[in-house]
Amino acid sequence: MGYSIRSFEDGDAEALAELGRAAIGAIGPDAYSEEQVEAWLANFAGPEVYQAQADAGTQIFIATDEDDEPVAYAMLEQTGHLDHLYCHPDHTKEGLATSLLETAALYAKYHGITHLFTEASHIAKPAFEKAGYNAMKKRTFEIDGVEITNWAMVKTIDPARGRRTA
C-alpha cells in the first residue's frame, strides 16, 4: 500500500478524531486496563481541538493512504511538544510512526527547534525510542480518578547537522 505524508487540511478534523479513538480502542488494551482505556477515550480530543490547534500554528502531519484518507498523524506544537502520535489499527506495522516522527524532526531542524518532547504511552514508547527519543521518567497521572502512566521523553535536534551552506 502506498502512503504519503501531508499537512493538515480543512476537513481533516473529524477523520483525525475518529482515527485517534479507533487506535486507543483497538491498541490501548495491549498495555492498559479496560478502565484506563475508557477514561482515555472519554477525554480524547474532539474534532474542534484539531482545527483549533492548526489555527494556533500547531503542525499536524498526516499519513494518508492512496485515496488521501488519513491513516496516522502526529501533532507538533511550536514549542517542540509532540502532542499526538496515532495510527489507525488497520495500518500499524507499516512504518508510519517512524515516518511521521522523522517528518516532525526535519520540520524542527528547519525551524530551529532544538528539542522535541512528548509524553508517550507504553504502546508508543518503542517508536519514539527508535526515532532517537530518550525516556526521562515514567509519569503517573489521573484522568477522571483513573491512574494512568506514560513516559516523558525528549529528543535533541542539532539544527546545524545536515544543513547545506553556500
Side-chain angles (χ1 to χ4, degrees):
M1 181 172 288
Y3 296 103
S4 300
I5 295 181
R6 64 168 171 80
S7 294
F8 179 87
E9 298 173 356
D10 288 340
D12 283 337
E14 185 68 42
L16 297 186
E18 289 175 15
L19 187 161
R21 296 180 80 70
I24 294 165
I27 303 166
D30 291 347
Y32 294 95
S33 72
E34 183 178 333
E35 182 183 34
Q36 290 170 321
V37 170
E38 287 175 8
W40 192 355
L41 283 170
N43 286 276
F44 192 70
E48 67 284 351
V49 172
Y50 296 92
Q51 190 63 56
Q53 286 282 13
D55 292 345
T58 295
Q59 296 302 307
I60 304 175
F61 305 108
I62 301 172
T64 60
D65 63 15
E66 57 271 347
D67 297 322
D68 198 41
E69 293 298 319
V71 296
Y73 73 94
M75 290 175 53
L76 178 62
E77 298 170 356
Q78 293 173 349
T79 60
H81 181 235
L82 202 130
D83 191 21
H84 284 198
L85 176 65
Y86 287 100
C87 185
H88 190 279
D90 293 342
H91 298 272
T92 60
K93 309 292 186 212
E94 299 286 337
L96 296 174
T98 298
S99 293
L100 288 166
L101 291 173
E102 286 173 357
T103 300
L106 287 170
Y107 178 91
K109 179 184 282 194
Y110 183 79
H111 288 88
I113 299 170
T114 59
H115 291 84
L116 297 178
F117 61 100
T118 195
E119 299 79 29
S121 69
H122 296 301
I123 299 157
K125 184 176 181 255
F128 281 99
E129 289 173 330
K130 182 179 175 185
Y133 284 72
N134 293 307
M136 304 307 286
K137 69 176 183 171
K138 189 174 185 179
R139 299 175 59 244
T140 301
F141 59 99
E142 286 189 11
I143 299 178
D144 294 339
V146 178
E147 194 172 276
I148 298 179
T149 58
N150 64 16
W151 294 90
M153 302 185 77
V154 66
K155 176 179 179 151
T156 301
I157 303 294
D158 181 355
R161 189 173 47 191
R163 278 200 182 165
R164 292 183 174 210
T165 56

